[in-house]
Amino acid sequence: MLIAILGIIILIVGMVMKRSPEPGSHFSGIVTVIGVAVIIIGASLSAFKVIDPGKVGVQTLFGQVQPEVLQSGLHVIDPLVDVTIFDTRTQNYTMSSKSNEGQVQGDDAIRVLSSDGLEVTIDLSILYKVTPAKAPYIYQNIGEDYEDKIVRPVTRTAIRDNAVNYQAVDLYSTKREEFQFKINKTISDNFAKNGLEVQQILVRNITLPASVRESIESKIQAEQDAQKMQFVLQKERQEADRKRVEAQGIADYQKIISTGLTDKQLQYQSILAQQAIATSPNTKIIIMGSGKTPIMLSDK
């Protein structure tokens, strides 16, 4: 389009030169031909428009946004139409406390008040994309800066409006998935009204106040100590049961021995034991028996 405008300017210059006195009027014909040629080339180039993959084109003619969307590929259009390109691929908008993350430099985390009055810091990323068919609506009603007008404020407001219904500890632990589900629905509904589609919301980090974190850590430590003590007590019970069974076995053995052996059997076993000792090479003299007939054994 700029080339065609340049050709019109050259054509006007040629017409002016034609009315001027000599010698400028001699070159007016050449300038006029050049101007016409440039207009034709510019109009021809403006009639062809290539839309890259993952993008769509929104057409504007004399300030009027056209409802028809140009998909990726080559298109032949009115040379007077202006085309604005919208990216329809997945986009990522991150709000983080780290200065090197996200679209905004510095600490951009979302700070909210929980139902128990504590300040909670939330780092969040939202994956979304432009709905291709709604690109003309976005261009006409919101503009190309939809990230600043819709994505950022809607997301931050939804986080704050939903976080106020939860206690700080619940946001960090038991109710985290429920909280994420609710903000997902709130943001998705609002985005859909404005031609955007939410693909995924990632609650990356929830930071509690220092006092709450210390309380949670103390509670976790106490639970771990209690579990450790339960293990020790269980082990001691098992050991007590083992000793009880062992003692019962010994008692049963002694009972069997005491009821099954007679005095003559014990005397006979004693004689065998003493005889074995007497025949040992290390034995010199042994006096056996404390009864009526003691026995003397010797290796001499």
Side-chain angles (χ1 to χ4, degrees):
M1 192 63 184
L2 291 176
I3 297 176
I5 294 174
L6 178 62
I8 293 174
I9 295 174
I10 295 174
L11 181 61
I12 293 174
V13 171
M15 295 174 63
V16 172
M17 292 177 64
K18 185 176 181 179
R19 297 178 182 179
S20 65
E22 299 289 342
S25 59
H26 291 289
F27 300 98
S28 62
I30 298 175
V31 173
T32 301
V33 171
I34 294 174
V36 173
V38 172
I39 292 174
I40 295 174
I41 294 173
S44 300
L45 293 177
S46 299
F48 296 94
K49 184 66 177 180
V50 177
I51 308 297
D52 294 331
K55 298 180 180 180
V56 296
V58 177
Q59 304 176 84
T60 306
L61 180 60
F62 300 124
Q64 294 290 328
V65 177
Q66 306 299 307
E68 183 182 356
V69 176
L70 299 179
Q71 302 292 338
S72 59
L74 176 64
H75 300 271
V76 179
I77 61 175
D78 187 337
L80 299 178
V81 168
D82 186 22
V83 178
T84 302
I85 303 299
F86 277 78
D87 192 342
T88 58
R89 294 169 295 187
T90 299
Q91 301 181 56
N92 180 0
Y93 193 90
T94 296
M95 290 165 280
S96 172
S97 58
K98 296 182 179 180
S99 59
N100 59 345
E101 292 183 341
Q103 284 73 4
V104 177
Q105 295 297 318
D107 187 353
D108 193 36
I110 307 169
R111 288 170 173 79
V112 300
L113 287 178
S114 60
S115 62
D116 47 359
L118 297 175
E119 184 180 77
V120 179
T121 303
I122 299 176
D123 291 355
L124 180 139
S125 292
I126 180 168
L127 305 179
Y128 73 98
K129 67 178 183 178
V130 172
T131 303
K134 293 294 185 69
Y137 172 86
I138 295 174
Y139 186 62
Q140 183 170 357
N141 295 278
I142 301 172
E144 297 179 74
D145 55 346
Y146 52 83
E147 202 169 65
D148 294 330
K149 291 181 178 178
I150 300 298
V151 175
R152 178 181 175 83
V154 167
T155 301
R156 298 178 76 90
T157 301
I159 297 294
R160 293 192 176 99
D161 290 347
N162 284 277
V164 75
N165 299 317
Y166 296 90
Q167 293 186 0
V169 176
D170 293 338
L171 284 175
Y172 184 79
S173 56
T174 57
K175 299 294 183 64
R176 182 165 179 163
E177 290 186 3
E178 178 183 316
F179 170 67
Q180 187 163 338
F181 174 79
K182 287 188 176 181
I183 62 174
N184 196 329
K185 186 177 187 310
T186 303
I187 296 173
S188 296
D189 292 345
N190 201 306
F191 273 33
K193 296 177 183 177
N194 293 282
L196 303 175
E197 178 185 341
V198 173
Q199 294 188 303
Q200 192 173 8
I201 295 177
L202 306 173
V203 178
R204 304 170 59 200
N205 188 35
I206 296 179
T207 305
L208 301 177
S211 59
V212 179
R213 292 201 304 270
E214 292 174 358
S215 176
I216 292 175
E217 290 172 358
S218 299
K219 181 179 178 182
I220 294 174
Q221 184 63 44
E223 291 176 351
Q224 291 177 346
D225 291 342
Q227 292 176 356
K228 183 178 179 181
M229 183 57 66
Q230 289 292 334
F231 174 77
V232 172
L233 290 175
Q234 183 179 2
K235 186 176 180 181
E236 292 296 333
R237 291 192 191 98
Q238 291 175 346
E239 181 65 17
D241 292 340
R242 186 193 67 78
K243 291 181 177 180
R244 191 177 298 108
V245 172
E246 183 181 6
Q248 184 64 43
I250 295 174
D252 292 343
Y253 171 77
Q254 292 175 344
K255 183 178 179 181
I256 293 171
I257 294 298
S258 63
T259 58
L261 293 177
T262 63
D263 293 339
K264 291 182 177 182
Q265 287 176 321
L266 292 174
Q267 186 178 7
Y268 176 72
Q269 292 295 330
S270 177
I271 293 171
L272 291 178
Q274 293 173 356
Q275 185 178 6
I277 294 174
T279 58
S280 173
N282 297 324
T283 303
K284 300 304 180 181
I285 298 175
I286 299 176
I287 298 175
M288 301 174 55
S290 58
K292 298 179 179 180
T293 309
I295 301 173
M296 180 178 291
L297 301 175
S298 174
D299 60 345
K300 302 300 184 180

